[in-house]
Amino acid sequence: MSYRDLYQGWKENPEQFWMEAAAQIDWDQPPSRAFFDQGPAGEWFADGRVNTCWNAVDRHVEAGRGDQIAIIHDSPITLSHRSITYAELRNRVASLAGALRARGIEKGDRVVIYMPMIPEALEAMLACARLGAIHSVVFGGFAANELAVRLDDARPKAIIAASCGLEPGRVVHYKPLLDKAIDLASHKPDFCVIFQREQEVAQLTEGRDVSWHGFQYGTEPADCVPVEGNHPAYILYTSGTTGQPKGVVRHTAGHLVALNWSMRNIYDIGAGDVFWAASDVGWVVGHSYICYGPLIAGATTIVFEGKPVGTPDAGTFWRVIRDHGVKSFFTAPTAIRAVKREDPEGKLIGQYDLSGLKILFLAGERADPDTIQWAEDRLGVPVIDHWWQTETGWAIAANPAGIELLPVKKGSPTLPMPGYDVQVLDEAGHPVAPGTLGAIAIRLPLPPGTLPTLWNAEGRFVTSYLAHFPGFYETGDAGYVDEEGYLYIMARTDDVINVAGHRLSTGAMEEVLSAHPAVAECAVIGIADTLKGQTPLGFLCLKKGIGTSHEQVIREVVGMVRDQIGPVAAFKNACVVERLPKTRSGKILRATMARIADGEEYKMPATIDDPAVLDEIAGALSELKR
Ligand code: COA
Ligand code: AMP
């Protein structure tokens, strides 16, 4: 069947399309229908009963594939690798789940997971899924304060963490960060399970912390607990426009059905294939395509603890692909740019037999045509850009390799996937003509696997995503379609920036800068960066009569962002200005500032209060460049 037939088939009968996709999942009780018109934006397979861990692990063992490798851990930082079969994974997850249950974790309880790229992170996620507990994984590059904000929102009964993470040349001391976060948070967990790594053994807090190994002794393994189709599988926090992150909720059944469909139809992966997403479990890519997707499909997934360059060199990706027989590889464009910078000719690629690699997928930020071209030329396989978000959990637009490879247009993530009716709208919500830039929106309902609401914040869900264009989900991205319906994603319409494939809130950074005693007012924008796509840049207006030098204030605010948001914010630059450009109603003109910083043409905003301020900003920027 062609992509066009498939998409048309979905459009004509979405109910039948998704019920057929649902037949690939093992149900304890099959759903009576696919779509349920309930909740703020609809729900999927709500009256079915199902367990995620059963579908990701146990069913493959029952099908006789217990000896197949489920997870390969490859760590160029510790120079080690190990493999876990599906049978071993089932036993390990069942005993962890049993131990959690013995400590009182039940269906619906929240468990925060704060772990680096080790298989135990996936085991912790799967153990929660086995019990129907709702996990919330927090990325290791966030500081204690960000973890505390998530603890207060998710209110977990338990935290599962590792003693440390490993960045090139640096041990990330997770345990002190965890202790500080628990001190800062008003909500306190009942207990913490600490996985002690050999690189650092953490001091346990008596009465609260238990060791991962010790607490499993003498407990019974747990069976899978069937849950309702609309039971939350997990909460994943992502950046919005303010310092308060949004808790994206994922319902169990839609997640299973959509990921299973995407593995076969988008990534062309089935049981026994090796799939590698070089991301982190703390991001949505890690949830969908390091943990759940490949395992639901019965494939082998790779947990990679390393970087594209420097661990030890720009050949690491190719070494992993060769060593483990990767068929389909998924990474961020920034990672390919990092490799290209170190090895422009791709000489290291030639050192490895990559004949098993069939395709490269890119996502997380716009894939620039140069990067796609470089990868295509050097690897000799199709390079597929695809576009999605934490909120959707799987691709909105892609080139569906498992159905047919459509002609690639560089700079476009190709066409919408079944389930997504994507429209480009003007400010008033009317569709615009092909080639015209507008806000990208998706006609409701969203497909299975996408967010039904925000945790503890249904009102915010409605105002953030549904209110602006009634009947549509607002993606927050701007772009256009061409005459053939190919999508082009050009920019965000809000204050979210994308740094090295990581989604960050400039609003959150501004909240930190404003707290500095010398800062009267500030703005943070994302400026173009050849490696990371964007990097944050701060503008500070200082209070009068403060004795501290500008350099000192800048050093201090850089340190504050690192301490309070985390190193991942990559906030390294700020400049002091007299005034910020504003509209007459006082709104800071961040988008215009970003255009000036990137040397792009800009239109003088009609509502600007004082046009001269833009010249001052341009002056400060050229000073900074020098
Ligand atoms: N735990 C702790 N710290 C972390 C971390 C983690 N899991 N991940 C990143 N950091 C730190 C880094 O050590 C760095 O700290 P530093 O300021 O002390 O150097 C900082 O956060 C910024 O990290 P990053 O933006 O990743 O920059 P980098 O210079 O270390 O690496 C790239 C640049 C391009 C190699 C890297 O960003 C990369 O591989 N990006 C791909 C991203 C990706 O896969 N995204 C997922 C979406 S698909
Ligand atoms: P995240 O929620 O962290 O996955 O970030 C999602 C955002 O990243 C999207 O809303 C886009 O702004 C951007 N993004 C992700 N993939 C792409 C892509 N293929 N092309 C353009 N932008 C992308």
Side-chain angles (χ1 to χ4, degrees):
M1 190 186 270
S2 70
Y3 158 79
R4 299 261 173 210
D5 291 341
L6 193 80
Y7 189 80
Q8 198 51 36
W10 159 72
K11 251 196 145 164
E12 281 163 15
N13 196 343
E15 190 65 24
Q16 186 186 334
F17 182 93
W18 289 118
M19 283 306 268
E20 278 174 21
Q24 306 300 313
I25 294 301
D26 268 12
W27 299 88
D28 292 276
Q29 183 188 306
S32 63
R33 60 182 202 273
F35 184 66
F36 287 73
D37 191 5
Q38 59 192 42
E43 296 179 353
W44 292 92
F45 313 109
D47 68 356
R49 291 175 72 79
V50 67
N51 182 278
T52 300
C53 186
W54 175 271
N55 276 279
V57 183
D58 300 50
R59 70 163 165 164
H60 306 308
V61 181
E62 299 292 315
R65 289 190 288 103
D67 290 340
Q68 189 202 303
I69 306 294
I71 302 176
I72 297 171
H73 183 230
D74 188 307
S75 171
I77 299 185
T78 59
L79 299 176
S80 64
H81 55 82
R82 71 179 162 122
S83 301
I84 300 171
T85 65
Y86 270 101
E88 286 165 347
L89 184 61
R90 189 213 26 211
N91 296 344
R92 290 174 64 85
V93 171
S95 17
L96 177 61
L100 289 169
R101 186 181 55 191
R103 292 289 301 233
I105 299 295
E106 294 172 0
K107 179 185 165 204
D109 289 338
R110 271 83 59 214
V111 176
V112 161
I113 299 173
Y114 188 54
M115 295 184 101
M117 286 297 287
I118 52 176
E120 286 76 10
L122 279 63
E123 290 172 6
M125 294 162 82
L126 292 163
C128 291
R130 199 169 184 87
L131 298 174
I134 304 167
H135 63 66
S136 186
V137 182
V138 179
F139 177 62
F142 283 125
N145 186 56
E146 287 290 314
L147 180 55
V149 169
R150 286 154 175 80
L151 295 181
D152 277 338
D153 198 65
R155 305 181 66 77
K157 206 181 228 182
I159 301 176
I160 306 179
S163 54
C164 68
L166 302 172
E167 283 290 290
R170 175 164 73 96
V171 173
V172 185
H173 310 290
Y174 273 32
K175 189 52 183 20
L177 287 169
L178 176 67
D179 291 342
K180 189 170 167 201
I182 296 174
D183 277 351
L184 288 169
S186 330
H187 172 82
K188 311 290 176 199
D190 290 359
F191 66 103
C192 300
V193 181
I194 309 296
F195 179 79
Q196 300 278 22
R197 300 190 73 182
E198 59 185 69
Q199 290 75 19
E200 180 165 280
V201 176
Q203 187 96 45
L204 300 187
T205 304
E206 229 184 286
R208 188 195 72 192
D209 299 345
V210 290
S211 156
W212 169 285
H213 294 105
F215 104 117
Q216 298 192 30
Y217 291 138
T219 55
E220 281 290 303
D223 285 335
C224 295
V225 176
V227 300
E228 300 74 26
N230 60 354
H231 179 69
Y234 69 76
I235 307 163
L236 177 58
Y237 289 89
T238 190
S239 301
T241 45
T242 67
Q244 179 68 29
K246 295 168 168 171
V248 167
V249 173
R250 194 83 59 214
H251 280 176
T252 301
H255 183 230
L256 281 167
V257 173
L259 291 188
N260 188 63
W261 186 90
S262 72
M263 288 309 298
R264 169 51 72 209
N265 294 289
I266 299 180
Y267 301 103
D268 195 20
I269 287 291
D273 288 334
V274 182
F275 182 79
W276 177 25
S279 178
D280 189 286
V281 281
W283 307 116
V284 71
V285 176
H287 282 62
S288 294
Y289 295 114
I290 295 174
C291 184
Y292 292 113
L295 297 179
I296 292 165
T300 299
T301 186
I302 296 185
V303 173
F304 173 71
E305 188 180 40
K307 299 274 172 177
V309 292
T311 60
D313 59 28
T316 305
F317 277 177
W318 325 127
R319 197 265 306 156
V320 171
I321 291 170
R322 182 211 48 196
D323 283 359
H324 307 302
V326 174
K327 178 181 169 192
S328 189
F329 175 42
F330 177 164
T331 189
T334 190
I336 300 292
R337 285 196 296 271
V339 170
K340 180 178 155 203
R341 198 160 75 166
E342 298 268 308
D343 181 21
E345 305 299 322
K347 288 200 181 106
L348 292 169
I349 297 176
Q351 293 181 7
Y352 300 94
D353 173 6
L354 301 186
S355 53
L357 180 69
K358 300 293 173 226
I359 193 157
L360 168 65
F361 286 90
L362 300 176
E365 59 180 317
R366 182 165 185 272
D368 52 291
D370 283 355
T371 301
I372 297 180
Q373 189 68 56
W374 185 88
E376 264 180 17
D377 293 346
R378 302 299 180 297
L379 293 170
V381 297
V383 178
I384 302 303
D385 178 17
H386 61 322
W387 166 60
W388 49 295
Q389 317 179 301
T390 305
E391 287 85 343
T392 64
W394 63 286
I396 307 169
N399 196 336
I403 301 167
E404 62 166 332
L405 266 185
L406 299 159
V408 170
K409 295 190 189 185
K410 295 190 180 66
S412 165
T414 318
L415 292 163
M417 289 298 92
Y420 295 100
D421 178 353
V422 181
Q423 301 285 327
V424 183
L425 306 177
D426 66 15
E427 238 331 279
H430 303 121
V432 299
T436 311
L437 201 67
I440 308 185
I442 301 164
R443 198 186 301 281
L444 294 173
L446 291 171
T450 57
L451 84 171
T453 190
L454 293 176
W455 185 255
N456 278 340
E458 189 169 306
R460 188 176 182 198
F461 172 69
V462 173
T463 47
S464 304
Y465 301 107
L466 309 183
H468 194 162
F469 301 118
F472 290 88
Y473 163 85
E474 186 183 6
T475 64
D477 284 317
Y480 61 93
V481 287
D482 70 10
E483 295 288 349
E484 289 177 295
Y486 275 60
L487 273 159
Y488 291 79
I489 313 300
M490 304 310 289
R492 290 286 305 185
T493 56
D494 56 13
D495 297 327
V496 166
I497 58 171
N498 197 314
V499 180
H502 308 314
R503 172 166 159 181
L504 298 167
S505 161
T506 53
M509 293 185 223
E510 287 174 6
E511 282 178 27
V512 175
L513 303 191
S514 314
H516 189 285
V519 174
E521 209 180 7
C522 66
V524 175
I525 59 168
I527 59 169
D529 182 89
T530 48
L531 174 66
K532 297 192 173 190
Q534 285 184 301
T535 49
L537 173 65
F539 291 85
L540 310 171
C541 301
L542 301 187
K543 290 175 185 160
K544 301 286 170 231
I546 296 274
T548 334
S549 70
H550 291 183
E551 292 71 25
Q552 174 75 9
V553 175
I554 290 170
R555 255 198 315 278
E556 285 172 7
V557 295
V558 166
M560 283 166 75
V561 175
R562 193 176 170 94
D563 283 352
Q564 291 176 41
I565 297 182
V568 70
F571 183 85
K572 306 238 154 97
N573 255 327
C575 57
V576 174
V577 291
E578 275 301 306
R579 301 177 292 171
L580 293 171
K582 291 186 184 167
T583 62
R584 282 188 285 277
S585 60
K587 193 171 173 298
I588 299 171
L589 292 162
R590 293 182 184 78
T592 313
M593 292 164 77
R595 293 190 83 85
I596 296 174
D598 293 344
E600 289 175 10
E601 294 272 311
Y602 66 93
K603 260 203 295 207
M604 181 65 71
T607 52
I608 193 164
D609 184 39
D610 180 356
V613 187
L614 290 182
D615 295 333
E616 292 169 26
I617 294 293
L621 283 164
S622 53
E623 191 67 30
L624 197 69
K625 275 185 195 141
R626 248 185 272 132

